[in-house]
C-alpha cells in the first residue's frame, strides 16, 4: 500500500540525474523508528496521565498519528541519505 510513497523515482525531474543506482538500504528506517517511537511513547504517556482515555482511544489515536508521520519522516530521511550519497560517494552512483 505504501510502497509507491517510499520508492525513489528513476531520474530527477529537474536535472535528469539518474537515480537508478541509488542505494539507501534500511539506513533511513532505523533513526525514524527510534525518534518516532520515543515521540509516540512520550505522547501516549502524556495523554494517559492527563486525560485517562480508554484503551481503544489509544489504539486508534496512535495508529492514526504514527503511520502518516512514519511515511513523511522516512521520505525525508531517505532523501537526506540520497543527498549524502551524491555528495560523498558519487562514484557508486555512476558519476
Amino acid at each position: 500500500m505504501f510502497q509507491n510513497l517510499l520508492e525513489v523515482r528513476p531520474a530527477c525531474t529537474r536535472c535528469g540525474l539518474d537515480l537508478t543506482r541509488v542505494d539507501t538500504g534500511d539506513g533511513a528506517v532505523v533513526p525514524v523508528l527510534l525518534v518516532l517511537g520515543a515521540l509516540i511513547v512520550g505522547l501516549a504517556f502524556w495523554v494517559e496521565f492527563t486525560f485517562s482515555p480508554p484503551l481503544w482511544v489509544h489504539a486508534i489515536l496512535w495508529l492514526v498519528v504514527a503511520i502518516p508521520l512514519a511515511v513523511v519522516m522516512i521520505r525525508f530521511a531517505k532523501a537526506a541519505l540520497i543527498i549524502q550519497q551524491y555528495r560523498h560517494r558519487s562514484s557508486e552512483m555512476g558519476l
Side-chain angles (χ1 to χ4, degrees):
M1 179 177 167
F2 294 109
Q3 187 64 27
N4 291 337
L5 291 173
L6 302 177
E7 287 181 358
V8 177
R9 292 183 179 175
C12 177
T13 57
R14 291 192 179 194
C15 67
L17 177 67
D18 181 27
L19 297 174
T20 56
R21 298 182 68 184
V22 168
D23 181 26
T24 58
D26 291 335
V29 176
V30 174
V32 167
L33 283 177
L34 291 174
V35 170
L36 188 61
L39 179 70
I40 295 295
V41 168
L43 287 172
F45 277 127
W46 178 76
V47 168
E48 176 63 32
F49 294 130
T50 304
F51 303 109
S52 298
L55 287 177
W56 65 267
V57 172
H58 279 293
I60 293 171
L61 176 67
W62 300 120
L63 279 176
V64 169
V65 170
I67 291 174
L69 270 177
V71 170
V72 169
M73 289 174 71
I74 287 175
R75 286 178 62 117
F76 281 110
K78 189 177 255 193
L81 286 176
I82 291 170
I83 291 168
Q84 292 301 316
Q85 184 178 4
Y86 177 75
R87 281 189 179 171
H88 300 289
R89 290 192 244 159
S90 57
S91 63
E92 291 180 8
M93 293 178 65
L95 301 176

